Amino acid sequence: MESPLQKAFSSDSFRQQAHTLVDLLADYLEQVQSGSLETVIPYKDPEENLTFWQEDYEQGQGDVTEFFRKTINHSIHLHHPRYMGHQVTPPVPVSALAGMLTGLLNNGMAVYEMGLVSNPLERILSELLAQKIGFDNHANGLLTSGGTLANLTALLAARAAKTDVWENGNTEHLAVMVSEEAHYCIDRAARIMGMGSEGIIKVPTNERLQIRTNLLEQYYQEATDKGLQVIAIVGSACSTSTGSYDDLEAIAAFAQKHQLWFHADGAHGGAVVFSDRYKHLIKGMNQADSVVIDWHKMLMAPALTTALIFKRGDDAFKTFQQKAQYLWANQHSKDWFNSGKRTFECTKLMMSVKVYAILKAHGEQIFTDNVEYLYDLGKTFATLVKARPNFELALEPESNIVCFRLLHESASLNELNANIRKRILEEGKFYIVQTTLGDKLYLRVSIMNPLTTETDLVALLDEVERLGKVVAS
Ligand SMILES: *Cc1c(COP(=O)(O)O)cnc(C)c1O
């Protein structure tokens, strides 16, 4: 007689469940990618969804395939060409298979012995990105769980390079400079590091929502006059709301003048390192001390998979200098293969395998193709918006993030567009989001799916127009 535990680990039932799941997912992909399934988001109120799952839970143990099916049906469908919402990629299917592989192998990564495959692959991928950024062979990097954590890690490295807070605690009031439009995680990281509101110096942006580099000197002087010690400046490449690229060259020059750490947050838009046509947008990134690029945004890998690349690889070892005798034979050696010495995580997912699987199956060109197709489509969408006199484009897009709104002579435009977006969410045939620029509310798309076409974009504008009439009346 098999015990319940033996049964749970049975290779036979795994084989059967896995085949069933793969068939389910392949059917799902076919349905959503062809658009034969109309729904992109099966939106329900939080309470309604909670009740649904509570009832499921109360039924107790049951058929896991049925649970998988329910999970699919009740999820948002990133592979649907009409998904254009937040900046998360529909993973290229082979990387999801790598996710299943690594989920089962579950090799941690902090120490080399637990990450025999993932540590070398992580190094290879870091070197690939470093070379694409234009760093020399002193550069090095790591993978970590998301852009938010990667940005915090970069700022911790900056602090380690500029101060001895790690040893002595805070003695000075430290500060970082960043654009008003930077991702909120920079603000959060600075607060975690004890800088408080005063220590986050938010520099205003221009009409293209890029940091106003002609104000950097003034803001820096004001901060130092107040007694703040500025340690770093962060450039957005690109910003989250509007996909605007800061002038990284000007930021680099400013950072150098004042001996500041220059961090480039390329979580979304750093992926243009793979495109000869678009990499002019990140001119100056090769002068950054650290760079963040999310593999799970523009580079087709499942979340969370984020690269943090240091111009001088040694800097990464300064970030977390702790003794962990049971982990590392030599605390002070700069061994690339014990990734836990340089990352926040101890046990870490085998992220590198998911990215490497994409490279192995499709080659590097797939990243170029994805970035260029989606950025081109952003421009196409802007052209479509401008061709309709009753629409307004917030600004010419530099990326695949486009903000726009419907105009109407009578109604409050903010209310009108917010209501349109609410209707779109409830009807579920498209997924788009909204953002506020100044005091104006805009509809916002991030075109993340390489199977989205111009036809889908035209259909979206038609739908916004149609709903505009419904809402206004
Ligand atoms: C998405 C994003 C982040 C946050 O990254 P996560 O991977 O979602 O944690 C940070 N900065 C920018 C510019 C982003 O676009």
Side-chain angles (χ1 to χ4, degrees), residues 204-439:
T205 50
N206 62 22
E207 69 293 341
R208 305 204 32 75
L209 298 160
Q210 300 154 321
I211 194 167
R212 286 176 62 186
T213 50
N214 59 340
L215 294 181
L216 294 180
E217 198 61 46
Q218 179 197 330
Y219 275 71
Y220 177 80
Q221 289 309 334
E222 281 170 14
T224 47
D225 288 350
K226 275 195 278 184
L228 294 168
Q229 185 190 344
V230 182
I231 57 166
I233 180 162
V234 180
S236 302
C238 48
S239 70
T240 305
S241 286
T242 58
S244 304
Y245 282 83
D246 284 345
D247 180 349
L248 301 183
E249 259 189 329
I251 296 174
F254 174 79
Q256 190 172 25
K257 179 174 170 206
H258 294 288
Q259 305 275 298
L260 306 179
W261 183 280
F262 169 25
H263 174 62
D265 180 4
H268 179 95
V272 298
V273 295
F274 285 102
S275 165
D276 285 338
R277 279 206 288 120
Y278 283 108
K279 73 178 169 209
H280 64 91
L281 292 167
I282 50 157
K283 207 154 168 260
M285 184 179 266
N286 61 347
Q287 296 173 62
D289 297 292
S290 53
V291 175
V292 162
I293 299 177
D294 275 343
W295 288 99
H296 63 256
K297 282 188 178 155
M298 293 301 292
L299 298 172
M300 313 169 95
L304 295 163
T305 310
T306 299
L308 170 56
I309 310 293
F310 291 91
K311 180 197 258 163
R312 296 165 304 274
D314 281 1
D315 282 340
F317 292 93
K318 297 179 188 150
T319 321
F320 306 106
Q321 302 176 49
Q322 277 164 309
K323 292 204 177 71
Q325 300 300 4
Y326 63 96
L327 287 180
W328 298 302
N330 183 344
Q331 182 54 38
H332 297 294
S333 64
K334 290 178 178 147
D335 27 354
W336 61 266
F337 42 83
N338 288 316
S339 89
K341 279 191 174 174
R342 295 175 294 151
T343 56
F344 195 87
E345 299 102 320
C346 178
T347 305
K348 187 172 91 177
L349 296 174
M350 302 170 74
M351 309 170 187
S352 54
V353 175
K354 296 175 204 164
V355 178
Y356 198 84
I358 304 175
L359 274 172
K360 187 50 78 178
H362 305 293
E364 197 186 297
Q365 183 65 29
I366 195 92
F367 298 128
T368 310
D369 292 352
N370 193 54
V371 169
E372 292 188 347
Y373 181 78
L374 295 173
Y375 273 43
D376 288 350
L377 206 52
K379 294 201 190 325
T380 304
F381 186 57
T383 309
L384 294 172
V385 170
K386 284 187 292 182
R388 298 190 185 209
N390 51 343
F391 278 86
E392 178 189 273
L393 188 67
L395 66 160
E396 261 333 302
E398 291 180 279
S399 69
N400 54 336
I401 300 172
V402 189
C403 300
F404 65 103
R405 60 181 186 162
L406 185 70
L407 303 173
H408 193 279
E409 70 284 339
S410 62
S412 143
L413 292 183
N414 283 2
E415 215 173 290
L416 175 76
N417 284 279
N419 284 330
I420 291 173
R421 141 77 196 167
K422 188 159 166 277
R423 285 293 184 105
I424 291 177
L425 185 68
E426 286 163 359
E427 290 182 4
K429 293 185 180 137
F430 292 86
Y431 183 69
I432 66 170
V433 296
Q434 66 188 43
T435 193
T436 306
L437 305 174
D439 54 5

Side-chain angles (χ1 to χ4, degrees), residues 146-208:
T148 298
L149 189 55
N151 279 313
L152 172 63
T153 307
L155 290 179
L156 288 170
R159 189 179 69 177
K162 302 292 176 192
T163 74
D164 53 9
V165 169
W166 189 262
E167 264 317 297
N168 300 334
N170 283 309
T171 49
E172 303 293 320
H173 193 154
L174 304 181
V176 294
M177 297 178 71
V178 63
S179 117
E180 276 175 352
E181 285 293 319
H183 192 271
Y184 74 87
C185 71
I186 303 291
D187 181 285
R188 184 176 285 188
R191 288 174 198 276
I192 290 170
M193 291 167 71
M195 298 182 191
S197 301
E198 273 219 309
I200 304 146
I201 302 162
K202 289 206 173 135
V203 183
T205 50
N206 62 22
E207 69 293 341
R208 305 204 32 75

Side-chain angles (χ1 to χ4, degrees), residues 10-290:
S10 145
S11 57
D12 281 342
S13 65
F14 173 71
R15 191 188 309 278
Q16 206 196 344
Q17 286 168 345
H19 279 296
T20 311
L21 175 60
V22 169
D23 284 340
L24 196 62
L25 286 173
D27 290 346
Y28 165 71
L29 277 182
E30 194 180 307
Q31 258 198 333
V32 286
Q33 291 183 165
S34 68
S36 74
L37 179 79
E38 275 208 338
T39 307
V40 180
I41 176 167
Y43 187 79
K44 287 191 176 65
D45 287 338
E47 293 304 322
E48 208 179 325
N49 258 330
L50 179 63
T51 307
F52 175 84
W53 288 108
Q54 278 171 335
E55 281 168 6
D56 181 87
Y57 178 69
E58 276 153 24
Q59 286 161 19
Q61 199 181 330
D63 179 4
V64 78
T65 300
E66 198 41 44
F67 166 61
F68 291 158
R69 191 174 284 121
K70 280 184 189 171
T71 301
I72 294 172
N73 291 342
H74 287 256
S75 293
I76 183 165
H77 307 309
L78 272 64
H79 291 85
H80 199 296
R82 296 187 173 180
Y83 170 87
M84 310 168 195
H86 289 288
Q87 300 150 273
V88 180
T89 193
V92 68
V94 73
S95 64
L97 289 180
M100 180 159 152
L101 171 74
T102 57
L104 191 85
L105 293 176
N106 204 29
N107 287 198
M109 283 202 54
V111 290
Y112 175 62
E113 292 149 39
M114 286 295 286
L116 298 171
V117 175
S118 40
N119 278 305
L121 294 187
E122 181 163 319
R123 173 158 168 175
I124 291 168
L125 294 176
S126 299
E127 285 174 356
L128 169 67
L129 282 187
Q131 177 234 324
K132 293 284 169 195
I133 291 166
F135 287 158
D136 64 20
N137 57 11
H138 294 104
N140 205 326
L142 49 90
L143 291 172
T144 192
S145 302
T148 298
L149 189 55
N151 279 313
L152 172 63
T153 307
L155 290 179
L156 288 170
R159 189 179 69 177
K162 302 292 176 192
T163 74
D164 53 9
V165 169
W166 189 262
E167 264 317 297
N168 300 334
N170 283 309
T171 49
E172 303 293 320
H173 193 154
L174 304 181
V176 294
M177 297 178 71
V178 63
S179 117
E180 276 175 352
E181 285 293 319
H183 192 271
Y184 74 87
C185 71
I186 303 291
D187 181 285
R188 184 176 285 188
R191 288 174 198 276
I192 290 170
M193 291 167 71
M195 298 182 191
S197 301
E198 273 219 309
I200 304 146
I201 302 162
K202 289 206 173 135
V203 183
T205 50
N206 62 22
E207 69 293 341
R208 305 204 32 75
L209 298 160
Q210 300 154 321
I211 194 167
R212 286 176 62 186
T213 50
N214 59 340
L215 294 181
L216 294 180
E217 198 61 46
Q218 179 197 330
Y219 275 71
Y220 177 80
Q221 289 309 334
E222 281 170 14
T224 47
D225 288 350
K226 275 195 278 184
L228 294 168
Q229 185 190 344
V230 182
I231 57 166
I233 180 162
V234 180
S236 302
C238 48
S239 70
T240 305
S241 286
T242 58
S244 304
Y245 282 83
D246 284 345
D247 180 349
L248 301 183
E249 259 189 329
I251 296 174
F254 174 79
Q256 190 172 25
K257 179 174 170 206
H258 294 288
Q259 305 275 298
L260 306 179
W261 183 280
F262 169 25
H263 174 62
D265 180 4
H268 179 95
V272 298
V273 295
F274 285 102
S275 165
D276 285 338
R277 279 206 288 120
Y278 283 108
K279 73 178 169 209
H280 64 91
L281 292 167
I282 50 157
K283 207 154 168 260
M285 184 179 266
N286 61 347
Q287 296 173 62
D289 297 292
S290 53

